[in-house]
Amino acid sequence: MERLLRGLLFCLLGLGLMTTEAFEVQVKDGSNTTCTHASMSVNFTIRYETESGTNRSVTFSAPDEVTTIGSTCGTSDDAALLVVNFVNNHSWSVNFTRNSTMYSIDMIVFTYNTNDSTLFPDAKRKGLLTTVKSVNDPIPINATYTCLQQKDVITDNVVQVYWNVSLLAYAQGVTIKREFHCSEDAPTTHAPTTHIVTTTTPKPTPKPEDKPSIGNYFVISSKGKCLMATMGLQLNASVFVSGHNVWTTRNINPNSTISSGSCSNESALLRLNDSDTILEFSFSLRQKNFYLHEVNVTFANGSGISHISNNNLSFWEASVGKSYLCHKEQMIVVSEDLSINTFEVRVQPFDVNNATYGAAEDCFADSDLSFLIPIVMGAVLVFLIILVFVSYLIGRQKSRTGYQSV
Ligand SMILES: *[C@@H]1O[C@H](CO)[C@@H](O)[C@H](O)[C@H]1NC(C)=O
Ligand SMILES: *[C@@H]1O[C@H](CO)[C@@H](O)[C@H](O)[C@H]1NC(C)=O
Ligand SMILES: *[C@@H]1O[C@H](CO)[C@@H](O)[C@H](O)[C@H]1NC(C)=O
Ligand SMILES: *[C@@H]1O[C@H](CO)[C@@H](O)[C@H](O)[C@H]1NC(C)=O
Ligand SMILES: *[C@@H]1O[C@H](CO)[C@@H](O)[C@H](O)[C@H]1NC(C)=O
Ligand SMILES: *[C@@H]1O[C@H](CO)[C@@H](O)[C@H](O)[C@H]1NC(C)=O
Ligand SMILES: *[C@@H]1O[C@H](CO)[C@@H](O)[C@H](O)[C@H]1NC(C)=O
Ligand SMILES: *[C@@H]1O[C@H](CO)[C@@H](O)[C@H](O)[C@H]1NC(C)=O
């Protein structure tokens, strides 16, 4: 009955808003028992290269009409898999992991077919392209993951925008009423867009975001940890909202950030992937020092994917084999539209031994107080000169009185 009503609601919504498409699917096991149930709306925005070498973006919605061929309920050894096939060989799939109390989506795999000439009329690379995103949002067993609010998932060239998501895996046929809501649905984070604001209510001024949490990130090579970084990160971007550009900040949440990267003798890369943002930090060497020379940021800006990079930076310099340490807040200007505020940075991109930081080189020297160092040294020198002079005078005085007493 509830499902019927929901179906009816979707139909009505579909009639009212032709652009709101949503699919609803069920996967059953051999004994005709439902193991996975999912319904959601998804928009995909894909950036691709055209024949002429320019980049173009296309957006399409996951259609109502889908199949679930390829889906499995999973066994004790194999993960459950939900495959949703769209027209023209585009598809979306998720596989799951579970333990006795929680389950979670492991990976979201989205495959798009650039041979689809209506969506990708002049794509340079033709064929099935796949983008993978790992997720780790534990959901209690026997609860339906529910996310009514918009949630973005970003990978290299694709932004997936989800809303009205309902997802239940490992259902074992039981009707489950328990809902587990995403953090976006929490009352405090509700977007006020649908509320009618009466004229008497004062408009809340946007509250500046708190400082970001400090995250520990690392890159692993065959020899163990080869790059380590501890820091809090906050993006400050100029975005276009209702007719004008406004600066908005966004904290990187270490709990939902996946770090990866690479290490070599001459360069090192740290890649941080938070749900809708990718940050890349590239380190280089000059003489016996390392420094941050390039930053790439990819994020959803509301209307598409922004990719902003700067390879002419010079931050976080310290000796190879040591670590760079900075307690004070710093601002890395990536472009005129984007900067990154960093907090409590400690980073070592080369020569990491036993997964521990080398001796720290503090950024105090290049801090605002650095002008004090010559002043202090000068003052000490002047003091020493005066001291020597005074003791000379006293010495002379003493010896003179000494002679007189004889
Ligand atoms: C599975 O159950 C549905 C109703 O829930 C029924 O229509 C269908 O015939 C069943 N299929 C098999 C193979 O038993
Ligand atoms: C889920 O799928 C991805 C990509 O196909 C694979 O790498 C991963 O091992 C799978 N996870 C599980 C738990 O099977
Ligand atoms: C964000 O950048 C703008 C422009 O540089 C600046 O005015 C604003 O104070 C910055 N906000 C934060 C929180 O750093
Ligand atoms: C991250 O997780 C820790 C422990 O689970 C929690 O205390 C902290 O508040 C979380 N941070 C954020 C920004 O969600
Ligand atoms: C990197 O350094 C190691 C040890 O110093 C050396 O054995 C290796 O040949 C170097 N690799 C390259 C590509 O220079
Ligand atoms: C950063 O972006 C630039 C320009 O898009 C690209 O050439 C470079 O390879 C990127 N760097 C990394 C580490 O991905
Ligand atoms: C958002 O990204 C799109 C695609 O890259 C770009 O055309 C648009 O100018 C960006 N908007 C803002 C406000 O940066
Ligand atoms: C790189 O930065 C340096 C110093 O900030 C500046 O002098 C130089 O013009 C920049 N180069 C480019 C290509 O932007």
Side-chain angles (χ1 to χ4, degrees):
M1 187 62 191
E2 196 193 349
R3 190 161 297 156
L4 253 177
L5 281 176
R6 195 187 281 180
L8 195 63
L9 194 66
F10 271 128
C11 282
L12 288 174
L13 277 175
L15 287 174
L17 295 152
M18 292 307 281
T19 50
T20 307
E21 291 183 275
F23 63 78
E24 180 163 13
V25 291
Q26 280 183 47
V27 179
K28 296 185 174 191
D29 67 11
S31 54
N32 210 11
T33 311
T34 301
C35 63
T36 309
H37 180 264
S39 65
M40 67 190 76
S41 293
V42 199
N43 275 352
F44 300 97
T45 298
I46 301 156
R47 187 177 57 169
Y48 69 100
E49 199 182 343
T50 62
E51 297 276 13
S52 57
T54 57
N55 282 329
R56 187 176 295 169
S57 280
V58 59
T59 299
F60 76 98
S61 306
D64 302 335
E65 296 289 326
V66 298
T67 68
T68 55
I69 296 161
S71 302
T72 60
C73 288
T75 62
S76 50
D77 298 325
D78 290 317
L81 179 66
L82 169 62
V83 182
V84 180
N85 305 292
F86 310 147
V87 285
N88 293 326
N89 287 331
H90 307 295
S91 68
W92 175 92
S93 73
V94 287
N95 59 5
F96 299 91
T97 57
R98 68 168 288 178
N99 59 29
S100 54
T101 56
M102 308 293 269
Y103 70 100
S104 167
I105 291 178
D106 185 30
M107 305 260 185
I108 301 176
V109 179
F110 173 59
T111 303
Y112 52 103
N113 180 9
T114 52
N115 280 319
D116 178 347
S117 52
T118 32
L119 283 178
F120 307 98
D122 49 0
K124 192 171 181 180
R125 264 178 85 193
K126 290 224 181 339
L128 292 177
L129 302 181
T130 290
T131 183
V132 180
K133 176 81 181 189
S134 38
V135 181
N136 187 12
D137 264 340
I139 306 159
I141 289 277
N142 289 342
T144 299
Y145 172 80
T146 308
C147 199
L148 305 173
Q149 295 294 311
Q150 177 180 325
K151 194 165 176 127
D152 300 345
V153 169
I154 295 210
T155 49
D156 272 347
N157 292 312
V158 179
V159 178
Q160 305 173 35
V161 179
Y162 292 83
W163 70 101
N164 283 346
V165 174
S166 165
L167 178 72
L168 171 65
Y170 304 109
Q172 295 170 315
V174 286
T175 332
I176 288 157
K177 294 232 161 53
R178 216 170 125 207
E179 288 188 344
F180 178 80
H181 277 271
C182 61
S183 56
E184 284 78 358
D185 281 359
T188 46
T189 55
H190 257 184
T193 45
T194 53
H195 294 293
I196 298 155
V197 181
T198 58
T199 44
T200 50
T201 317
K203 260 195 179 169
T205 46
K207 173 179 152 282
E209 248 195 303
D210 296 334
K211 284 190 176 177
S213 311
I214 311 296
N216 286 307
Y217 308 109
F218 47 82
V219 177
I220 293 180
S221 73
S222 55
K223 293 177 199 128
K225 284 184 188 174
C226 60
L227 181 156
M228 297 183 20
T230 304
M231 56 196 168
L233 296 166
Q234 181 180 62
L235 295 189
N236 183 12
S238 169
V239 293
F240 199 67
V241 181
S242 51
H244 45 93
N245 284 312
V246 288
W247 285 91
T248 54
T249 59
R250 187 184 172 294
N251 289 343
I252 300 299
N253 179 0
N255 295 353
S256 57
T257 299
I258 293 159
S259 61
S260 57
S262 59
C263 301
S264 77
N265 287 1
E266 294 87 25
S267 68
L269 170 71
L270 172 66
R271 196 165 205 267
L272 300 179
N273 198 333
D274 197 356
S275 56
D276 58 0
T277 311
I278 299 172
L279 292 165
E280 285 168 324
F281 297 90
S282 300
F283 297 87
S284 292
L285 296 174
R286 62 178 160 219
Q287 280 106 43
K288 297 244 176 314
N289 288 357
F290 66 81
Y291 70 107
L292 174 69
H293 91 109
E294 180 177 11
V295 169
N296 283 6
V297 184
T298 309
F299 61 99
N301 67 17
S303 58
I305 317 165
S306 284
H307 178 84
I308 297 177
S309 63
N310 187 333
N311 64 2
N312 190 30
L313 300 172
S314 186
F315 284 93
W316 302 350
E317 182 161 351
S319 311
V320 170
K322 294 185 175 168
S323 60
Y324 173 86
L325 175 72
C326 201
H327 291 298
K328 70 172 179 143
E329 181 180 344
Q330 290 173 301
M331 182 167 80
I332 298 174
V333 177
V334 184
S335 78
E336 55 184 18
D337 292 330
L338 178 79
S339 53
I340 304 173
N341 297 325
T342 64
F343 301 79
E344 301 288 336
V345 173
R346 183 151 192 195
V347 62
Q348 183 167 350
F350 295 97
D351 287 7
V352 173
N353 283 318
N354 299 324
T356 48
Y357 283 115
E361 282 185 10
D362 202 286
C363 66
F364 177 77
D366 52 55
S367 76
D368 302 335
L369 295 175
S370 59
F371 71 93
L372 277 179
I373 292 172
I375 294 176
V376 168
M377 285 178 75
V380 167
L381 205 65
V382 166
F383 177 74
L384 282 176
I385 290 169
I386 291 172
L387 198 71
V388 168
F389 189 64
V390 165
S391 37
Y392 166 76
L393 282 183
I394 290 171
R396 250 177 65 143
Q397 194 88 33
K398 269 202 174 147
S399 52
R400 204 177 282 154
T401 47
Y403 284 130
Q404 277 170 357
S405 69
V406 169

